[in-house]
Amino acid sequence: MKPPFGRLVSLSHVHDPATTPIFPGDPEFRTDIVATVANDGYYLRYIQQGEHTGTHWGAPIHFHADGLAADELDLADLLLPAVKIDVRERCAADRDYAVTVDDLRRWESRHGRIPDGAAVVAWTGWDAKWGGPDFIGVDESAGRQPGFAVETVEWLLRTGRLGRRGALGTDTFGPDVGADDAYTVSKLLYREHRISLECLANLAELPATGAWILVGSPLYRGGSGSPATIFALLPD
């Protein structure tokens, strides 16, 4: 039977302790072999990583103690129409670039209004840096990454474009610019019923509009999110 969409694309990096960047201060990512086919008749590993390691999503409780945890969200919160905002050129010229309202208005002038309740994904070009030192940054660039401007997220919320259950997505560690250690954008996003999609991959495969995003992951009780395989369901 033909699926009711054109193509399935993974927007997740392969999780590998050798190549997965770790956000400063997050737990170590390691894998330990606990059983082998030769010795035990089956192969099994013990995986240790933080809830926000590699490609992952975040729930409102991540920044608000009274926010919804991963297991308290509706399944509908994890299936969203997606729009991709290509800001690679601006981010290549400015590692601290913050996606502006004008960026979104320019996008809308070409593609129409951002659907209510969308996953608004910023394609910064950081997905191409995965596994290398430039993803985190070195020396004077350490910790610096592009993100969304605070006023841009306020506009998305005020105009209903994030709807009741939208998301911000990015190929960086998170939707905040790296210089904001107060995580202002994340706190705005999580204040109500919305999630984040972080460290996304393969964004060249995601069309500017028309796709849907499906977040697949373990639902940890009380979880702040989870490492995830995030799928893009592309139209015919």
Side-chain angles (χ1 to χ4, degrees), residues 41 124 142 145 186 223:
T124 71
Q145 66 171 28
S186 290

Side-chain angles (χ1 to χ4, degrees), residues 11 13 87-88 91 121-130 135 145-146 169-174 197-203:
L11 300 183
H13 294 283
V87 288
R88 288 174 299 160
C91 295
V121 176
W123 187 18
T124 71
W126 252 240
D127 53 348
K129 302 178 186 290
W130 190 259
F135 189 90
Q145 66 171 28
T170 179
D171 49 2
T172 70
F173 276 128
L197 312 170
E198 304 175 8
C199 294
L200 296 175
N202 303 322
L203 288 180

Side-chain angles (χ1 to χ4, degrees), residues 155-179:
W155 180 80
L156 285 166
L157 293 168
R158 185 174 64 252
T159 61
R161 284 163 170 81
L162 281 181
R164 178 178 168 271
R165 51 160 51 100
L168 292 180
T170 179
D171 49 2
T172 70
F173 276 128
D176 301 277
V177 293

